[in-house]
Amino acid sequence: MIDEQLILSGVNRKNEKAWKSLYEHYYAALCTYVNRILKGSESTEDLVQEVFIAVWRSEKRFDSVQDLTRYLYRACYNNALVFVRNNQIHDTILNSIGAESDFTADDVYAQTVREEVTRQLYVYIEGLPSEQKKVILMSIEGYSWDEIAEKLRISVNTVKTHKSRGFKYLRSKLQDSVCLFLI
């Protein structure tokens, strides 16, 4: 049987012998308590030891053994909950990174192919006759036939002809493109 009052006074004075007795008296019970919360985690012992270290480093004084006991159990409980919360956040982050990495690999590949096709498209647009190039670029920007005709001061039929000839040329060029095989 241990003298709880002797341990209490030794804990309050930071007496190492009293702390050793406190540790031996509470450690196994606190580990069992935390283990029930963490459901068999390997971190149980570390968590309990961290509580003892925190109490040792603190300036906290205890009026009774019951206060000390309550404090130790409450600190273990709080640390266990923080541990569970942090692991859930950690797992969520890891899962989202894993999901993003699967999505990102395909997405990056598709984006790279789109950028290469777009780059080649603009290279071929540069090879178009001047009026066809203007009509195609304005079409890509979203202008209607009427708006293009008005801005370029040409008829709508001329816009349609330039657009049709330009797209025919671009289709023939892009048909031979290596990037289309990658899609």
Side-chain angles (χ1 to χ4, degrees):
M1 192 81 180
I2 62 166
D3 183 359
E4 292 179 342
Q5 289 304 321
L6 188 61
I7 289 178
L8 181 64
S9 67
V11 166
N12 285 335
R13 289 186 327 243
K14 306 290 186 207
N15 177 287
E16 286 185 32
K17 187 176 179 183
W19 272 88
K20 183 178 179 188
S21 294
L22 174 75
Y23 186 85
E24 290 170 355
H25 186 69
Y26 282 94
Y27 180 75
L30 289 171
C31 284
T32 301
Y33 176 69
V34 170
N35 201 36
R36 276 189 265 139
I37 297 168
L38 299 183
K39 298 182 182 12
S41 173
E42 296 175 7
S43 300
T44 298
E45 293 179 2
D46 292 338
L47 252 160
V48 173
Q49 288 174 3
E50 288 172 11
V51 168
F52 279 107
I53 292 169
V55 173
W56 173 264
R57 289 181 177 164
S58 78
E59 297 297 319
K60 180 133 180 81
R61 300 287 179 240
F62 302 96
D63 295 329
S64 69
V65 173
Q66 290 79 17
D67 286 344
L68 174 61
T69 303
R70 274 192 293 271
Y71 186 87
L72 289 173
Y73 276 92
R74 177 53 71 184
C76 285
Y77 176 79
N78 290 339
N79 283 3
L81 292 183
V82 168
F83 178 82
V84 168
R85 185 193 69 211
N86 289 345
N87 274 352
Q88 287 173 343
I89 291 170
H90 182 261
D91 291 346
T92 302
I93 290 169
L94 286 179
N95 289 339
S96 70
I97 289 171
E100 284 177 11
S101 66
D102 292 344
F103 174 72
T104 303
D106 292 341
D107 190 43
V108 168
Y109 176 74
Q111 182 66 29
T112 302
V113 170
R114 277 193 298 275
E115 287 174 4
E116 182 57 24
V117 170
T118 303
R119 185 194 65 75
Q120 281 190 349
L121 175 66
Y122 279 99
V123 167
Y124 295 138
I125 289 173
E126 287 299 315
L128 288 170
S130 175
E131 291 298 310
Q132 285 180 16
K133 180 167 68 171
K134 288 177 189 174
V135 169
I136 295 295
L137 289 173
M138 291 178 82
S139 293
I140 290 172
E141 291 174 12
Y143 289 103
S144 70
W145 289 338
D146 293 330
E147 292 171 326
I148 295 170
E150 186 181 315
K151 288 190 183 274
L152 296 180
R153 297 185 184 168
I154 56 176
S155 73
V156 172
N157 284 336
T158 305
V159 170
K160 289 178 183 179
T161 302
H162 284 320
K163 191 173 181 179
S164 174
R165 288 180 183 164
F167 280 143
K168 183 178 178 183
Y169 170 80
L170 293 173
R171 273 192 298 274
S172 72
K173 289 296 193 177
L174 288 173
Q175 186 175 8
D176 298 332
S177 174
V178 173
C179 287
L180 290 180
F181 292 114
L182 297 175
I183 297 177

